[in-house]
Amino acid sequence: MKFYIPLLALFFGWYVSAQNNIQVQPLLENLPMFDKIRDFTMDVKGKESYFTIQSPNEEVSVIVKSVNGENGWNMPTIASFSGKYKDLEPFLSPDGLRLYFVSNRPVDQGSTTLKDFDIWYVERANSTSEWSTPINIGSPINTEHNEFYPAVAQNGNLYYTCDCPGALGRDDIFFSSYNDGSFAEPISLSGNINTEGFEYNSYISPDDSYLIFGGYNREDGQGSGDLYVSFKVDSGNWTKAIPLPAPINSKYMDYCPFVDPANNILYFTSRRSQEPGSNMVSMDDLLDYLKSYQNGGSRLYKTQFDILSLK
């Protein structure tokens, strides 16, 4: 079976930028059977991860769990609270005891009527306990509109995406402060982050000091969805967001960031595609390319990168 040089480099490899020496590596090469994986989140010890697996047209969307073993991330299993409804976008709280996610499940457990997408969470007493029954986060976060991609800092402050009234654009990053056990009325973040276009998929650092998010088709981007970072200053305001450098951002859709701050590793989802490099002369050649990791499907990637170097 013939292997093309670009594909061989992909399987063994790293994509290196000569200008900045940033290397981007596939995260889950052992899962080539899934072409739509996204939304990686991980505990602080790097032992437990959750992400979303979807069917091509998203009729099926489930949250799965994988454990980091001797040979890397194990084959995932469907999370105990997922599998019946469209669930996606998990986010583990910094203490690992609450997992936020998005679902269209009915608010009333006795109902069969699906809702728009809301933010939910499950809880556990410790890292080895079972997750609770899902809990709707409720008002003032959830509304009759769609809420997506929750991310929570150590102080409990919540950042998420919404197409709610009050947004500067079509989708905005919203913020709700957490005080005395409850969330404050959400606000759309400033024009240093949100625009008249689409902003989505925000990750907040555990110390609430920087925000990474997706912005679609911006003038300073690579041409599709790109990742941006903004830093919180002493006044509590956010700096003007700047795009992450290539090859983290590409001409393809790059989205769903998550950071392991202890090791300066950025995880993200991308639909990037590798050029085949030569003509297809056999079905084996074609199958090799279609089964390759960087084939335009929604896949997970990682890179060693210090976000604070952009501050």
Side-chain angles (χ1 to χ4, degrees):
M1 190 176 289
K2 181 178 179 182
F3 289 90
Y4 294 102
I5 291 177
L7 297 180
L8 197 58
L10 171 63
F11 270 90
F12 288 102
W14 297 72
Y15 316 109
V16 181
S17 168
Q19 291 86 1
N20 48 33
N21 201 35
I22 297 173
Q23 302 172 326
V24 175
Q25 182 185 21
L27 178 60
L28 296 173
E29 292 126 312
N30 62 327
L31 300 179
M33 69 289 291
F34 300 116
D35 265 343
K36 204 160 190 178
I37 301 181
R38 48 173 291 180
D39 313 324
F40 183 84
T41 187
M42 182 180 68
D43 70 334
V44 295
K45 295 180 180 179
K47 297 297 184 182
E48 177 186 29
S49 72
Y50 295 83
F51 49 93
T52 306
I53 297 179
Q54 297 176 315
S55 61
N57 291 325
E58 300 181 13
E59 294 95 342
V60 173
S61 184
V62 297
I63 293 172
V64 299
K65 173 185 176 180
S66 180
V67 175
N68 201 357
E70 293 182 359
N71 298 315
W73 293 107
N74 293 337
M75 182 63 66
T77 58
I78 297 176
S80 60
F81 54 86
S82 191
K84 185 175 181 180
Y85 303 101
K86 289 185 180 180
D87 301 325
L88 65 160
E89 300 176 345
F91 185 90
L92 269 173
S93 60
D95 64 8
L97 301 183
R98 182 176 284 191
L99 187 143
Y100 296 84
F101 66 101
V102 170
S103 181
N104 70 340
R105 64 185 61 210
V107 174
D108 182 355
Q109 292 187 13
S111 173
T112 59
T113 303
L114 299 180
K115 197 181 180 300
D116 61 319
F117 284 103
D118 273 356
I119 294 173
W120 294 72
Y121 64 90
V122 289
E123 296 179 309
R124 60 187 178 184
N126 56 62
S127 61
T128 61
S129 301
E130 295 295 322
W131 290 112
S132 69
T133 299
I135 302 165
N136 189 285
I137 203 171
S139 175
I141 306 301
N142 288 332
T143 66
E144 68 273 19
H145 302 278
N146 291 302
E147 289 79 31
F148 289 106
Y149 215 86
V152 179
Q154 198 149 10
N155 58 17
N157 288 347
L158 172 69
Y159 298 79
Y160 64 100
T161 306
C162 189
D163 56 7
C164 318
L168 293 178
R170 309 214 190 155
D171 284 350
D172 270 8
I173 307 299
F174 278 74
F175 161 73
S176 176
S177 61
Y178 188 75
N179 299 294
D180 298 324
S182 61
F183 290 103
E185 191 68 31
I187 60 171
S188 174
L189 292 180
S190 74
N192 281 343
I193 291 173
N194 290 318
T195 69
E196 293 181 355
F198 293 91
E199 284 75 39
Y200 45 86
N201 297 163
S202 60
Y203 164 85
I204 186 64
S205 63
D207 63 359
D208 204 17
S209 67
Y210 66 83
L211 187 82
I212 307 174
F213 65 95
Y216 186 72
N217 204 23
R218 290 189 173 196
E219 290 184 359
D220 56 355
Q222 299 288 327
S224 182
D226 291 287
L227 296 176
Y228 289 77
V229 63
S230 176
F231 297 93
K232 186 181 284 187
V233 296
D234 291 341
S235 63
N237 294 321
W238 292 94
T239 60
K240 182 70 175 176
I242 58 173
L244 300 191
I248 297 172
N249 282 332
S250 69
K251 66 179 181 178
Y252 303 99
M253 187 74 179
D254 303 304
Y255 55 118
C256 298
F258 182 83
V259 176
D260 172 6
N263 297 295
N264 285 332
I265 298 177
L266 169 68
Y267 299 89
F268 65 101
T269 306
S270 180
R271 295 177 186 166
R272 56 192 63 196
S273 181
Q274 176 82 4
E275 292 293 333
S278 62
N279 294 329
M280 301 288 172
V281 297
S282 71
M283 285 302 299
D284 284 343
D285 297 336
L286 177 59
L287 289 172
D288 283 343
Y289 180 74
L290 294 178
K291 292 178 181 178
S292 66
Y293 198 86
Q294 191 171 304
N295 65 358
S298 178
R299 302 294 181 98
L300 296 174
Y301 295 84
K302 66 178 181 178
T303 181
Q304 188 91 35
F305 184 72
D306 183 5
I307 295 294
L308 296 182
S309 67
L310 299 176
K311 191 172 183 180

